Amino acid sequence: MAYQQLQFIGYSIDTAPRRNPDGSYTYLGLPIPQQDIEARCELMLRAIQTAQANLPQASPPEAPGTTLKVFMAPEFMFRGATGAYQMDDV
C-alpha cells in the first residue's frame, strides 16, 4: 500500500562543539566512547518515544499505514567527546 501523506518530526538539540578558552573546540560527551554511544542511543530512543507519544491525533483517526512518519535528528548526534567515533568503538 502506498502512503497518502508524509509527516516530518524534527528533534532539535545542539550538537555543536564547545569553544575552549585557548580557542580549541571540544565536543560534549562522555570520555569512554562505548558509554557515550550507549548514552546517545538511550537519548535518541527517549526522543523518538516522546515524539511518538506527542504526535497530533487526526480527527477522525486516519487508517494505519496511510502516513509515513519520518523522525529527523541532527547529523552530528552520534559524535563523541573527541569527534567522530572510531569504527572499533562502534
Side-chain angles (χ1 to χ4, degrees):
M1 173 191 337
Y3 292 106
Q4 297 172 0
Q5 297 184 53
L6 177 63
Q7 182 178 19
F8 290 100
I9 301 111
Y11 178 42
S12 178
I13 185 170
D14 186 4
T15 59
R18 177 185 61 224
R19 185 178 178 122
N20 300 317
D22 66 358
S24 64
Y25 291 91
T26 302
Y27 290 96
L28 300 179
L30 301 174
I32 299 171
Q34 291 83 0
Q35 291 176 350
D36 190 65
I37 292 167
E38 185 174 323
R40 289 173 189 271
C41 286
E42 290 174 8
L43 179 62
M44 183 64 75
L45 177 61
R46 285 195 315 268
I48 292 168
Q49 290 170 336
T50 300
Q52 182 182 24
N54 289 285
L55 287 174
Q57 299 301 313
S59 180
E62 62 185 32
T66 58
T67 301
L68 175 63
K69 295 172 174 33
V70 179
F71 182 84
M72 301 177 299
E75 63 181 309
F76 292 120
M77 177 66 190
F78 291 97
R79 178 173 277 209
T82 58
Y85 297 118
Q86 298 295 315
M87 287 307 296
D88 291 342
D89 293 329
V90 178

